[in-house]
Amino acid sequence: MDYISKWALPDGEFTFDLGSLYDTLCSLSDMRKARGKRYELGMILVLIVLAKLCNRDKLTAIADWILHRTAELKAALGLTSGRLPSYSTLRRVLGEVVQAEEFEQVMSAFFAGLPGAGLSTLVVIDGKELRGTIPPGQSHGRHLLAAYLPGEGLVLRQVEVPDKHNEITAAPALLKQLDLAGKTVVADAMFTQHALAATILD
């Protein structure tokens, strides 16, 4: 939409193209019913992204960041509604509306399509346990195996695995989704197996 096509920053700073990000986020499936839907899904997610860029990681902190910058955000984004999304709206959208797999695919395509993206020749595969996903009384949370370009900070693909011991079985499926022509793949010692090496070369 035109009202968030560009947010200009002072001279010497970068310009973040909110328009293309908004359009990308609007392509996500919105599972909400039309009745009672006050905020567009793309707009809610753009606000969350902006808060995340300002190092607000927890949902309560994101909601507070939006609340305390309501006037500034409304002016910058051309919004006319009286209020911006509250904590309960953000929680419902992230917990019930946005489908994680679809979101990852759409955002991966968005970043891969940016000018100069994907030119690095070094691809790293590594698994990490997500912060904040370990239930009380347990020692493990959600574990992801990702393929990324460290020189660009760009995650190409990632898949969920039960735990670190399952990374080796998930790696072939992850790598088969990538174009590895001209790339060098780096991984931990546990991945140095003939079958996986053959998959990479193929």
Side-chain angles (χ1 to χ4, degrees), residues 61-169:
I62 292 173
D64 287 342
W65 186 89
I66 293 173
L67 175 64
H68 294 304
R69 290 161 180 79
T70 296
E72 180 182 359
L73 290 169
K74 287 174 63 177
L77 303 179
L79 303 174
T80 58
S81 59
R83 296 188 303 172
L84 294 182
S86 64
Y87 168 82
S88 59
T89 298
L90 301 179
R91 181 179 181 183
R92 183 170 61 254
V93 165
L94 293 180
E96 302 175 9
V97 178
V98 177
Q99 305 300 309
E101 184 176 346
E102 181 190 21
F103 180 81
E104 290 178 1
Q105 292 174 349
V106 168
M107 292 308 298
S108 177
F110 171 76
F111 286 114
L114 294 177
L119 299 181
S120 301
T121 59
L122 183 64
V123 177
V124 176
I125 56 174
D126 192 21
K128 296 294 181 185
E129 204 162 76
L130 296 184
R131 289 181 58 186
T133 63
I134 302 177
Q138 299 188 27
S139 58
H140 298 289
R142 190 180 182 196
H143 196 91
L144 299 178
L145 179 65
Y148 62 97
L149 304 177
E152 302 179 30
L154 176 61
V155 176
L156 300 174
R157 290 287 189 277
Q158 58 185 6
V159 295
E160 186 169 4
V161 295
D163 55 56
K164 187 174 181 64
H165 300 293
N166 294 86
E167 289 182 6
I168 189 63
T169 59

Side-chain angles (χ1 to χ4, degrees), residues 22-99:
Y22 176 86
D23 292 338
T24 297
L25 294 173
C26 280
S27 70
L28 294 169
S29 303
D30 190 344
M31 311 302 293
R32 297 175 296 168
K33 296 181 180 179
R35 182 179 180 181
K37 184 166 60 176
R38 179 179 297 178
Y39 310 103
E40 295 182 14
L41 179 60
M43 188 270 285
I44 295 173
L45 296 176
V46 163
L47 291 173
I48 293 173
V49 168
L50 291 176
K52 291 280 289 180
L53 288 173
C54 293
N55 296 321
R56 301 309 192 270
D57 292 327
K58 294 186 177 180
L59 197 54
T60 52
I62 292 173
D64 287 342
W65 186 89
I66 293 173
L67 175 64
H68 294 304
R69 290 161 180 79
T70 296
E72 180 182 359
L73 290 169
K74 287 174 63 177
L77 303 179
L79 303 174
T80 58
S81 59
R83 296 188 303 172
L84 294 182
S86 64
Y87 168 82
S88 59
T89 298
L90 301 179
R91 181 179 181 183
R92 183 170 61 254
V93 165
L94 293 180
E96 302 175 9
V97 178
V98 177
Q99 305 300 309

